[in-house]
């Protein structure tokens, strides 16, 4: 049996999901695909079609809250990759991340061929130094690296996001499909819609006749309870990522900031009202491959700062979006879906 190919996407769940089309392209040509993910993205890696095995390592130059570089951990990582024995590797990164430190470790582990997107001179660390012009959507950027390495998508693959199916049965939690999901949280506070706006949107959606489900991670349970109030169903902390995918799959529309669950909604084919803070460019990071209503001032002073905490008093890029605007966006998306069907 031929040696596996190693693919790397070592940041958050949403980033991993956006690499999905590239992963499928490689998997269409290889017998075994191993995906290296960080602890924040592993659950997303487990959902990707085409992945045969997931390994985890917290990459110190990628993780937003890294620990100190531990030489012993680095040696164990090199030994782990050496034990897997990949014959080749593709390192997927965002535009602000460097693939070269990991390429060095992969070389030390004996990986004979490595490809990555890199503006920096790689010396002997890369066999394929791929460059991307412009600012394409992140999933297309990753797919361009796979293509450059010789991995064309399989016939019939539309390049959209996807997850493994079947997803869990969540009817005991949410009942029948046909509701609106509001996901208030995001990993960076600068990307969150104000809590009071979220709660008002739940009330407005419910008053307009929508069944509303509020989702969130276990550490967000206090916030989801406040947002759901008496009008929404609070699922904060009640699902794993696959279960959340199933909840989003049953929704007519998902309302979410720029965060992993917005990309998970796209991966299950559900339209998204994207409350998008322009700290990163929407043309690259908004939900891909599904109908999207993009809300938020994309020209706000925080534009392009990549700030985790809002640098502008009053958080104007999202605080200026009202619940009624979200309600109208939800109804436009629902109407568009009905017209298509």
């Amino acid at each position: 049996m031929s040696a596996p190919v190693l693919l790397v996407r070592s940041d958050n769940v949403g980033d991993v999901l956006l690499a999905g089309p590239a992963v499928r392209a490689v998997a269409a040509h290889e017998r075994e695909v191993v995906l290296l993910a960080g602890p924040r993205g592993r659950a997303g890696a487990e959902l990707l079609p085409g992945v045969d095995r997931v390994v985890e390592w917290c990459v110190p130059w990628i993780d937003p809250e890294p620990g100190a570089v531990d030489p012993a951990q680095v040696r164990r990582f090199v030994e782990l990759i050496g034990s897997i024995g990949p014959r080749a590797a593709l390192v997927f990164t965002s535009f602000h991340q460097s693939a070269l430190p990991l390429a060095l470790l992969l070389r030390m582990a004996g990986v004979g061929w490595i490809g990555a997107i890199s503006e920096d001179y790689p010396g002997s660390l890369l066999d394929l130094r791929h460059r991307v012009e412009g600012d394409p959507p992140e999933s297309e950027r990753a797919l361009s690296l796979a293509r450059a390495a010789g991995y064309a998508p399989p016939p019939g693959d539309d390049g959209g996001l996807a997850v493994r199916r079947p997803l869990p049965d969540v009817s005991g939690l949410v009942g029948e499909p046909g509701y609106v999901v509001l996901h208030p949280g995001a990993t960076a506070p600068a990307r969150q819609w104000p809590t009071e706006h979220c709660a008002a949107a739940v009330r407005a959606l419910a008053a307009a006749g929508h069944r509303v489900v509020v989702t969130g991670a276990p550490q967000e349970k206090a916030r989801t309870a406040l947002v759901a109030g008496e009008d929404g169903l609070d699922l904060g902390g009640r699902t794993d990522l696959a279960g959340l995918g199933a909840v989003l799959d049953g929704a007519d529309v998902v309302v979410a900031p720029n965060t992993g669950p917005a990309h998970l909604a796209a991966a299950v084919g559900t339209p998204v009202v994207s409350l998008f803070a322009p700290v990163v460019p929407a043309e690259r990071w908004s939900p891909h491959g599904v109908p999207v209503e993009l809300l938020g001032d994309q020209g706000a002073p925080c534009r392009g700062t990549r700030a985790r905490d809002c640098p502008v008093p009053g958080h104007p890029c999202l605080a200026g979006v009202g619940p009624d605007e979200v309600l109208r966006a939800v109804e436009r998306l629902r109407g568009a879906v009905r017209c298509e069907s």
Side-chain angles (χ1 to χ4, degrees), residues 126-241:
L126 297 180
D127 300 280
L128 169 62
R129 179 194 186 187
H130 180 54
R131 297 187 181 185
V132 178
E133 298 296 328
D135 202 24
E138 185 68 9
S139 60
E140 294 180 9
R141 183 175 183 270
L143 184 56
S144 75
L145 173 59
R147 288 182 183 274
Y151 296 111
D157 192 317
D158 64 1
L161 307 191
V163 295
R164 292 181 185 271
R165 293 179 182 269
L167 292 166
D169 181 1
V170 292
S171 58
L173 287 175
V174 294
E176 293 298 314
Y179 42 82
V180 174
V181 168
L182 194 151
H183 186 92
T187 54
R191 301 180 186 184
Q192 293 181 352
W193 200 30
T195 300
E196 62 273 17
H197 287 31
C198 295
V202 169
R203 294 192 296 271
L205 287 162
H210 298 286
R211 187 157 50 102
V212 186
V213 176
V214 179
T215 57
Q219 65 270 26
E220 298 170 325
K221 288 173 67 174
R223 189 166 192 243
T224 60
L226 182 61
V227 169
E230 296 182 355
D231 297 295
L233 172 63
D234 178 17
L235 293 188
R238 298 180 64 187
T239 66
D240 60 8
L241 191 67

Side-chain angles (χ1 to χ4, degrees), residues 1 7 20 42 76 133 152 170 197 223 250 254 276 298 325:
M1 183 174 178
L7 306 181
R42 176 165 190 155
R76 286 194 292 272
E133 298 296 328
V170 292
H197 287 31
R223 189 166 192 243
V254 172
F276 201 98
Q298 300 306 298
E325 190 174 352

Side-chain angles (χ1 to χ4, degrees), residues 1-309:
M1 183 174 178
S2 62
V5 168
L6 179 71
L7 306 181
V8 181
R9 185 76 211 210
S10 50
D11 31 18
N12 294 324
V13 162
D15 306 301
V16 172
L17 292 173
L18 286 166
V23 171
R24 298 196 305 272
V26 175
H29 299 269
E30 296 289 346
R31 292 177 61 90
E32 184 181 6
V33 171
V34 178
L35 181 60
L36 171 64
R40 300 174 191 272
R42 176 165 190 155
E46 300 281 4
L47 287 179
L48 285 185
V51 174
D52 298 298
R53 178 181 174 189
V54 177
V55 293
E56 179 183 318
W57 189 53
C58 185
V59 180
W61 54 92
I62 298 293
D63 193 86
E65 297 176 344
V69 175
D70 182 343
Q73 288 185 350
V74 172
R75 287 193 293 271
R76 286 194 292 272
F77 171 73
V78 171
E79 291 170 358
L80 170 64
I81 299 303
S83 70
I84 294 170
R87 64 172 182 79
L90 287 177
V91 182
F92 297 105
T93 52
S94 295
F95 73 100
H96 60 280
Q97 299 167 345
S98 174
L100 299 185
L102 188 60
L104 174 61
L105 299 186
L106 296 180
R107 286 288 195 230
M108 293 171 62
V111 180
W113 189 96
I114 303 171
I117 297 171
S118 181
E119 291 297 323
D120 297 322
Y121 172 63
S124 61
L125 296 182
L126 297 180
D127 300 280
L128 169 62
R129 179 194 186 187
H130 180 54
R131 297 187 181 185
V132 178
E133 298 296 328
D135 202 24
E138 185 68 9
S139 60
E140 294 180 9
R141 183 175 183 270
L143 184 56
S144 75
L145 173 59
R147 288 182 183 274
Y151 296 111
D157 192 317
D158 64 1
L161 307 191
V163 295
R164 292 181 185 271
R165 293 179 182 269
L167 292 166
D169 181 1
V170 292
S171 58
L173 287 175
V174 294
E176 293 298 314
Y179 42 82
V180 174
V181 168
L182 194 151
H183 186 92
T187 54
R191 301 180 186 184
Q192 293 181 352
W193 200 30
T195 300
E196 62 273 17
H197 287 31
C198 295
V202 169
R203 294 192 296 271
L205 287 162
H210 298 286
R211 187 157 50 102
V212 186
V213 176
V214 179
T215 57
Q219 65 270 26
E220 298 170 325
K221 288 173 67 174
R223 189 166 192 243
T224 60
L226 182 61
V227 169
E230 296 182 355
D231 297 295
L233 172 63
D234 178 17
L235 293 188
R238 298 180 64 187
T239 66
D240 60 8
L241 191 67
L244 177 59
V247 171
L248 303 180
D249 191 36
D252 290 337
V253 178
V254 172
V255 180
N258 177 24
T259 188
H263 301 300
L264 184 57
V268 298
T270 302
V272 180
V273 174
S274 178
L275 294 154
F276 201 98
V279 291
V280 294
E283 57 268 27
R284 175 173 284 170
W285 293 105
S286 62
H288 182 67
V290 294
V292 173
E293 286 275 342
L294 189 71
L295 302 182
D297 180 3
Q298 300 306 298
C302 64
R303 178 181 174 87
T305 62
R306 294 183 23 234
R308 292 184 58 81
D309 294 294

